[in-house]
Amino acid sequence: MSTLPPNPQGDLMRAATVNMAVAQPTKSKAASKQTNNANPKAKSQMHRRSRTGCYTCRLRRKKCDEGSPMCTACKHLGLVCEYKRPMWWSNNDARRQHKDDIKMIIKRKKLSEKASHTIQTSVSSPPGLSHSLPTSATFSDPLDRTRSASIDSQFAFNFNSPPNVPEYGAYNPHMLPSHADFMYNMSPYEIDVKTERQMFVNDVPTLRESTVSTFSTFHTPPPPGTVLPSYPVDGEWAEQVYQERRESLTEETLNCNFFDFAHGLPTNTRQVDIELEENDQRLLDHFIQFVLPTIFPILETNQHGSVGSDLILPNLQNNKGYLHCCLMIAAQHYKATMNVQGEDIDSDIMRHRHATIVALCEALNKDENHHQILEATLGLIFFQCCVGRYDDSLPDIPWHQHFQAVNSLVTKLDLPRLVSDNTEQLTQTPFNMTLTAWIDILGATMQGRAPTFAHTYREKHLSTTNPFLGLRELMGCDDHVMYLISEIACLEALKKEGMDDITLCTHVHALGDQIGLTETHDCGPKMPFNANGSLSPKQLSKNITSAFRLAARIYLCSLVPGFSPSQGSCVGLVEKLTNVLHFIPSGPGGFDRSLAWVYLIGGSVSGMNSTFRQFFNDRIAQLGDAANYGSFGGVVSLLHEVWQQADNAQPSPSANGTTEAPYISWRDIMQMRGLDYLLI
């Protein structure tokens, strides 16, 4: 766009010059001819370039005779002759595109003229092609069926509805009265349509594709009775685009009222009216600004950023224990991200941690406000997974001891029965039960035990009327895959209790079949972005589900007697998992930190030459400082320890005579180092 200010006086003078040139072309040419004959030397020394020609000829760098209303060149080629400065003139990209369109029209014109000499039939010229310019109003791509008739087009056809013909699929030369005349009274011509497609990830251009399709009338028409394809688009890429567009049209509507947060109506703003001391107010501001957006990233995506106003902010105002828990987490996050060390920040952490425990004990003694106690206790467990450092030496209560209180509160509130009872159809899923299930299922795999509410998950998995618990909306993985991870944890607990190998392998095979049933409608991972560059929660959930499904298979295979990470089946699963993880957005604004458990399970069995290790290190580098705290930071430290021991271990002989790498259990490493934290 030009940055020069408008000059009304200059525009009037220019317009007057154009009018004079149009009104008196003969006189101007005669005078020019007389001058040139009088002084031929001056002609070679001084050349004055015309500034009054049409903008189409200027763009083509051709001489314009300035005819009115159209110059001869534009009239001959069927181009749009514009003497008034058009919109595309001020934009380099638009000017370049317009020039390409003109070249295409000239090519069609030449093809038409060539065909008129070779075909000895009485034909008229093709219809004006100026209406075929692929502008935003007339053309989007070869798959768009909503193109309207152009302004100067003599044909009006509604692509959204078929003609009123009994058999539209069959070719019929008498479909319309003028169809035969239209086909045979017009010279053959070709139209080249160029389509460009570019993908943007976080406003950064990545993949760019360009295709050119040609429509030609040189082909002989099919004989009468030929059934034409219902969707006449050829090419693998075109079919892929059509499939993506059809899926985008069926993108499910997000239900922002899916969860019942059990504390009344949500707030409409992020303003929290709480009286705090100056130091605590700074911690609260830090929590709202920096910690809040990172706690439930998947849920934020599904709820369009309303998690803070629906869940956390109301609790800050109504729940004293929850408030101190959030202030403690804010102090931990500040210490981890700002690399602050000292007694002051440690004092803030311990002070609010102690205040949280005191508030919970007081509420338990009063035996009231069970929902508030449950929310604060879940916050102590889950928020620690988001921002806590694995190497923090401050004293704290282990997460599984907090979960014992969660177990009692969930049972007292009768939440398992409410979510599994088919006779009571809940309009909203209790959020506290969904978060409890997430911690319970993956926490059980951390300790090698059965989940506390495994029976509830089994009933939900087998239910045909109400199988969903909201896990997909909360953490991205499909509910049924999470239920099967619960079953695998139960099988591992039975293995520890002495289940024989034959029965164990039978259950492993059965659970493998159950995991396969969840892949029925899985079309493979794709980039989770819509055509306009926005994030697609539906596709993101599919990719996360695929990652958890492969991690569940690896977890299941590790239970088989004689398992080794160097076995072909395990190596193949790790490679597939690496491929799926490529489709998860990375960086501080990505979702790698939501897949800590997946990285732990897949990375613990990845070999020295596996592509997973390099991929994982690349993701760590992209995360930056965010890879050093929370569950993801614990996974990074633990995997490096596992890889070090696995690479230094001596291979052991297998039953078939080959050597296999020993399986170094990540759980054994945690026990040896005295680590007791939750990695979800």
mmCIF file of all heavy atoms in Angstrom, residues 55 58 94 101 126 177 206 236 286 424 472 578 618 620 636 650:
data_model
loop_
_atom_site.group_PDB
_atom_site.id
_atom_site.type_symbol
_atom_site.label_atom_id
_atom_site.label_comp_id
_atom_site.label_asym_id
_atom_site.label_seq_id
_atom_site.Cartn_x
_atom_site.Cartn_y
_atom_site.Cartn_z
ATOM 1 N N TYR A 55 -4.436 0.870 -16.929
ATOM 2 C CA TYR A 55 -3.555 0.185 -15.982
ATOM 3 C C TYR A 55 -3.270 -1.247 -16.400
ATOM 4 O O TYR A 55 -2.260 -1.831 -16.004
ATOM 5 C CB TYR A 55 -4.178 0.215 -14.585
ATOM 6 C CG TYR A 55 -3.992 1.544 -13.892
ATOM 7 C CD1 TYR A 55 -4.872 2.604 -14.116
ATOM 8 C CD2 TYR A 55 -2.931 1.753 -13.025
ATOM 9 C CE1 TYR A 55 -4.698 3.820 -13.487
ATOM 10 C CE2 TYR A 55 -2.749 2.976 -12.386
ATOM 11 C CZ TYR A 55 -3.635 4.003 -12.628
ATOM 12 O OH TYR A 55 -3.461 5.207 -12.012
ATOM 13 N N ARG A 58 -0.361 -0.900 -18.690
ATOM 14 C CA ARG A 58 0.803 -0.564 -17.879
ATOM 15 C C ARG A 58 1.377 -1.809 -17.210
ATOM 16 O O ARG A 58 2.596 -2.004 -17.150
ATOM 17 C CB ARG A 58 0.433 0.458 -16.810
ATOM 18 C CG ARG A 58 0.110 1.837 -17.334
ATOM 19 C CD ARG A 58 0.114 2.816 -16.171
ATOM 20 N NE ARG A 58 -0.694 3.988 -16.454
ATOM 21 C CZ ARG A 58 -0.830 5.012 -15.614
ATOM 22 N NH1 ARG A 58 -0.230 4.971 -14.446
ATOM 23 N NH2 ARG A 58 -1.576 6.056 -15.927
ATOM 24 N N ALA A 94 -0.937 -8.558 -5.114
ATOM 25 C CA ALA A 94 -2.146 -8.517 -5.939
ATOM 26 C C ALA A 94 -1.803 -8.172 -7.382
ATOM 27 O O ALA A 94 -2.402 -8.700 -8.332
ATOM 28 C CB ALA A 94 -3.126 -7.501 -5.356
ATOM 29 N N ASP A 101 -3.038 -13.777 -13.986
ATOM 30 C CA ASP A 101 -4.375 -14.008 -14.532
ATOM 31 C C ASP A 101 -4.468 -13.527 -15.974
ATOM 32 O O ASP A 101 -5.099 -14.163 -16.827
ATOM 33 C CB ASP A 101 -5.421 -13.289 -13.671
ATOM 34 C CG ASP A 101 -5.467 -13.818 -12.262
ATOM 35 O OD1 ASP A 101 -5.070 -14.976 -12.044
ATOM 36 O OD2 ASP A 101 -5.909 -13.075 -11.369
ATOM 37 N N PRO A 126 -15.471 -18.161 -28.149
ATOM 38 C CA PRO A 126 -15.894 -18.578 -26.805
ATOM 39 C C PRO A 126 -16.429 -17.400 -26.031
ATOM 40 O O PRO A 126 -16.180 -16.254 -26.380
ATOM 41 C CB PRO A 126 -14.596 -19.113 -26.174
ATOM 42 C CG PRO A 126 -13.510 -18.445 -26.928
ATOM 43 C CD PRO A 126 -14.026 -18.277 -28.320
ATOM 44 N N PRO A 177 -32.353 -27.239 -23.414
ATOM 45 C CA PRO A 177 -32.669 -26.969 -24.823
ATOM 46 C C PRO A 177 -31.457 -26.505 -25.605
ATOM 47 O O PRO A 177 -31.291 -26.857 -26.765
ATOM 48 C CB PRO A 177 -33.748 -25.884 -24.736
ATOM 49 C CG PRO A 177 -34.372 -26.063 -23.397
ATOM 50 C CD PRO A 177 -33.276 -26.535 -22.505
ATOM 51 N N THR A 206 4.531 -22.792 7.093
ATOM 52 C CA THR A 206 5.272 -24.056 7.050
ATOM 53 C C THR A 206 5.116 -24.710 5.677
ATOM 54 O O THR A 206 5.915 -24.463 4.779
ATOM 55 C CB THR A 206 4.765 -24.982 8.152
ATOM 56 O OG1 THR A 206 3.340 -25.149 8.016
ATOM 57 C CG2 THR A 206 5.076 -24.413 9.521
ATOM 58 N N GLU A 236 -5.004 -37.288 -5.650
ATOM 59 C CA GLU A 236 -4.987 -37.670 -4.235
ATOM 60 C C GLU A 236 -5.077 -36.451 -3.330
ATOM 61 O O GLU A 236 -5.770 -36.459 -2.327
ATOM 62 C CB GLU A 236 -3.709 -38.450 -3.958
ATOM 63 C CG GLU A 236 -3.587 -38.941 -2.519
ATOM 64 C CD GLU A 236 -2.313 -39.719 -2.294
ATOM 65 O OE1 GLU A 236 -1.595 -39.959 -3.292
ATOM 66 O OE2 GLU A 236 -2.040 -40.074 -1.143
ATOM 67 N N HIS A 286 0.651 -13.211 40.253
ATOM 68 C CA HIS A 286 1.527 -14.116 39.499
ATOM 69 C C HIS A 286 0.787 -15.400 39.133
ATOM 70 O O HIS A 286 0.955 -15.931 38.019
ATOM 71 C CB HIS A 286 2.773 -14.445 40.330
ATOM 72 C CG HIS A 286 3.750 -15.330 39.620
ATOM 73 N ND1 HIS A 286 4.704 -14.849 38.749
ATOM 74 C CD2 HIS A 286 3.909 -16.685 39.641
ATOM 75 C CE1 HIS A 286 5.410 -15.853 38.267
ATOM 76 N NE2 HIS A 286 4.955 -16.982 38.801
ATOM 77 N N GLU A 424 -29.829 -42.606 36.384
ATOM 78 C CA GLU A 424 -29.736 -41.167 36.625
ATOM 79 C C GLU A 424 -28.831 -40.541 35.565
ATOM 80 O O GLU A 424 -27.612 -40.633 35.645
ATOM 81 C CB GLU A 424 -29.172 -40.884 38.028
ATOM 82 C CG GLU A 424 -30.071 -41.349 39.158
ATOM 83 C CD GLU A 424 -29.532 -40.918 40.509
ATOM 84 O OE1 GLU A 424 -28.616 -40.067 40.521
ATOM 85 O OE2 GLU A 424 -30.005 -41.433 41.531
ATOM 86 N N ARG A 472 -11.728 -37.075 27.980
ATOM 87 C CA ARG A 472 -11.292 -36.514 26.701
ATOM 88 C C ARG A 472 -11.344 -34.997 26.729
ATOM 89 O O ARG A 472 -10.454 -34.318 26.207
ATOM 90 C CB ARG A 472 -12.161 -37.038 25.560
ATOM 91 C CG ARG A 472 -11.712 -36.576 24.182
ATOM 92 C CD ARG A 472 -12.558 -37.233 23.120
ATOM 93 N NE ARG A 472 -13.896 -36.680 23.119
ATOM 94 C CZ ARG A 472 -14.289 -35.669 22.334
ATOM 95 N NH1 ARG A 472 -13.428 -35.100 21.516
ATOM 96 N NH2 ARG A 472 -15.527 -35.231 22.369
ATOM 97 N N THR A 578 6.645 -42.141 18.150
ATOM 98 C CA THR A 578 7.418 -40.958 17.756
ATOM 99 C C THR A 578 6.762 -40.245 16.588
ATOM 100 O O THR A 578 6.699 -39.009 16.545
ATOM 101 C CB THR A 578 8.853 -41.368 17.391
ATOM 102 O OG1 THR A 578 9.423 -42.124 18.462
ATOM 103 C CG2 THR A 578 9.708 -40.148 17.120
ATOM 104 N N ASP A 618 14.788 -32.720 21.171
ATOM 105 C CA ASP A 618 14.349 -31.541 20.407
ATOM 106 C C ASP A 618 13.161 -30.862 21.080
ATOM 107 O O ASP A 618 13.099 -29.622 21.154
ATOM 108 C CB ASP A 618 13.982 -31.946 18.983
ATOM 109 C CG ASP A 618 15.198 -32.384 18.176
ATOM 110 O OD1 ASP A 618 16.322 -32.045 18.586
ATOM 111 O OD2 ASP A 618 15.014 -33.074 17.153
ATOM 112 N N ILE A 620 12.494 -30.926 24.257
ATOM 113 C CA ILE A 620 12.996 -30.279 25.471
ATOM 114 C C ILE A 620 13.580 -28.915 25.131
ATOM 115 O O ILE A 620 13.344 -27.916 25.824
ATOM 116 C CB ILE A 620 14.045 -31.172 26.155
ATOM 117 C CG1 ILE A 620 13.405 -32.464 26.676
ATOM 118 C CG2 ILE A 620 14.727 -30.437 27.296
ATOM 119 C CD1 ILE A 620 14.404 -33.451 27.229
ATOM 120 N N VAL A 636 11.953 -35.857 32.336
ATOM 121 C CA VAL A 636 13.247 -35.597 31.706
ATOM 122 C C VAL A 636 14.381 -36.154 32.561
ATOM 123 O O VAL A 636 15.279 -36.858 32.074
ATOM 124 C CB VAL A 636 13.431 -34.080 31.471
ATOM 125 C CG1 VAL A 636 14.853 -33.774 31.015
ATOM 126 C CG2 VAL A 636 12.422 -33.569 30.451
ATOM 127 N N GLN A 650 24.935 -54.778 30.141
ATOM 128 C CA GLN A 650 25.391 -55.789 29.202
ATOM 129 C C GLN A 650 24.200 -56.548 28.633
ATOM 130 O O GLN A 650 23.293 -56.941 29.363
ATOM 131 C CB GLN A 650 26.335 -56.780 29.901
ATOM 132 C CG GLN A 650 27.629 -56.157 30.382
ATOM 133 C CD GLN A 650 28.481 -55.665 29.226
ATOM 134 O OE1 GLN A 650 28.457 -56.236 28.123
ATOM 135 N NE2 GLN A 650 29.246 -54.605 29.456
#
